């Protein structure tokens, strides 16, 4: 990507996740300045990477509206504005049909409401910069049911509607909103799996017969965040090795 993001300011949530870290690495390599958000328990991993002064780590809970306001204000005051937003924060725990109202409220606040609020808070800054880009990390679960799970796929489906409607609302301000939907991704938890199990998972992927990686997702996010695809907004992009073609 060269210096495609030189002078650009990006806010990334879920920044300490595997996908979040890879997104940050690629955007930093391309010249971006980044405000990285994750929980107090995880944010120190980002600080330990030693990625320099263009990375501002802001620990906190995305379900806290005051925290979200602080993130946007800190990004704008530290780097001069906000050009792009990448939302990857998510709760994965899912008690299914046994979920309580508290379970529902917590996952909705993190997985959906925080995204909507950040779009709202970032939009005026993006408008001041002549436009911007929002990339929402959803999941293929937003399209497909999952055995025993209800909350997580429901929130990921909600993000698709949020993306499309936000894209339409923000189009006059030259702010694009798109969604990426990762399929089966490799995680460190799989390292301890029997190789036959790993091979069986990979066999579900029509091409290229391997599990997805954080780098696969980050490359798509970086592309959508740049000014190049300026005719794309309100779109859903599956990144699943052709596993689910609809």
């Amino acid at each position: 990507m060269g210096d495609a993001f030189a002078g650009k300011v990006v806010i990334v949530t879920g920044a300490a996740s595997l996908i979040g870290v890879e997104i940050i690495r690629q955007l930093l390599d391309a010249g971006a300045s980044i405000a990285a958000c994750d929980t107090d328990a995880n944010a120190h991993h980002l600080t330990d990477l030693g990625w320099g002064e263009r990375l501002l780590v802001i620990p906190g809970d995305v379900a806290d509206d005051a925290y979200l306001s602080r993130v946007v204000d800190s990004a704008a005051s530290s780097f001069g504005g906000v050009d792009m937003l990448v939302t990857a924060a998510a709760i994965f725990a899912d008690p299914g049909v046994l979920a309580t109202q508290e379970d529902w409220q917590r996952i909705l606040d993190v997985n959906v409401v925080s995204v909507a609020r950040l779009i709202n808070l970032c939009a005026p800054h993006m408008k001041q910069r002549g436009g911007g880009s929002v990339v929402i990390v959803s999941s293929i679960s937003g399209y497909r049911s999952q055995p025993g799970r209800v909350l997580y796929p429901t929130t990921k489906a909600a993000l698709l509607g949020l993306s499309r409607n936000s894209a339409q609302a923000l189009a006059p301000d030259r702010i694009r909103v798109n969604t990426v939907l990762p399929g089966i991704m490799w995680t460190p938890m799989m390292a301890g799996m029997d190789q036959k199990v790993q091979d069986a998972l990979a066999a579900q992927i029509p091409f290229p017969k391997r599990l997805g990686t954080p780098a696969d997702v980050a490359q798509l996010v970086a592309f959508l965040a740049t000014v190049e695809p300026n005719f794309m907004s309100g779109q859903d992009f599956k990144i699943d090795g052709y596993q689910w073609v609809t």
Side-chain angles (χ1 to χ4, degrees):
M1 288 186 291
D3 60 352
F5 287 87
K8 300 298 184 182
V9 181
V10 188
I11 294 174
V12 180
T13 70
S17 66
L18 287 176
I19 289 175
V21 168
E22 184 61 24
I23 289 169
I24 289 173
R25 186 191 67 76
Q26 291 195 22
L27 296 184
L28 284 175
D29 286 349
S33 296
I34 297 175
C37 314
D38 214 304
T39 62
D40 293 324
N42 294 329
H44 72 276
H45 295 302
L46 296 168
T47 305
D48 293 343
L49 292 172
W51 276 343
E53 61 185 15
R54 284 191 289 113
L55 177 63
L56 175 65
V57 180
I58 310 173
D61 182 356
V62 294
D64 179 357
D65 204 60
Y67 167 69
L68 299 181
S69 294
R70 180 163 61 87
V71 166
V72 176
D73 290 344
S74 297
S77 61
S78 297
F79 300 127
V82 177
D83 299 286
M84 299 159 190
L85 169 66
V86 179
T87 62
I91 290 176
F92 298 93
D94 190 334
V97 295
L98 299 178
T100 65
Q101 183 177 10
E102 289 182 353
D103 293 330
W104 273 107
Q105 193 62 61
R106 176 61 179 166
I107 197 168
L108 285 167
D109 283 345
V110 171
N111 291 16
V112 182
V113 177
S114 72
V115 180
R117 288 294 297 134
L118 277 171
I119 292 173
N120 177 266
L121 292 166
C122 289
H125 294 276
M126 293 178 178
K127 183 178 180 179
Q128 288 180 357
R129 308 268 277 191
S133 177
V134 177
V135 181
I136 298 171
V137 179
S138 179
S139 167
I140 201 68
S141 303
Y143 274 103
R144 302 289 174 176
S145 60
Q146 292 183 304
R149 292 168 69 79
V150 177
L151 284 71
Y152 179 78
T154 297
T155 62
K156 291 303 181 179
L159 291 175
L160 303 180
L162 175 62
S163 173
R164 293 171 188 145
N165 288 281
S166 297
Q168 184 178 49
L170 295 172
D173 296 328
R174 299 178 58 83
I175 299 171
R176 295 178 297 106
V177 186
N178 291 291
T179 307
V180 300
L181 297 94
I184 300 176
M185 296 285 131
W186 188 91
T187 71
M189 291 185 294
M190 294 179 180
M193 285 183 177
D194 183 275
Q195 189 59 48
K196 290 182 179 180
V197 176
Q198 294 190 48
D199 292 344
L201 286 172
Q204 298 178 37
I205 312 299
F207 176 81
K209 293 295 182 182
R210 64 168 176 81
L211 299 178
T213 67
D216 292 324
V217 179
Q219 287 167 8
L220 177 57
V221 169
F223 170 71
L224 292 172
T226 65
V227 297
E228 296 303 326
N230 57 19
F231 212 57
M232 297 179 186
S233 192
Q235 302 303 307
D236 313 330
F237 296 88
K238 300 184 187 73
I239 180 162
D240 62 356
Y242 306 94
Q243 187 176 14
W244 288 295
V245 179
T246 57

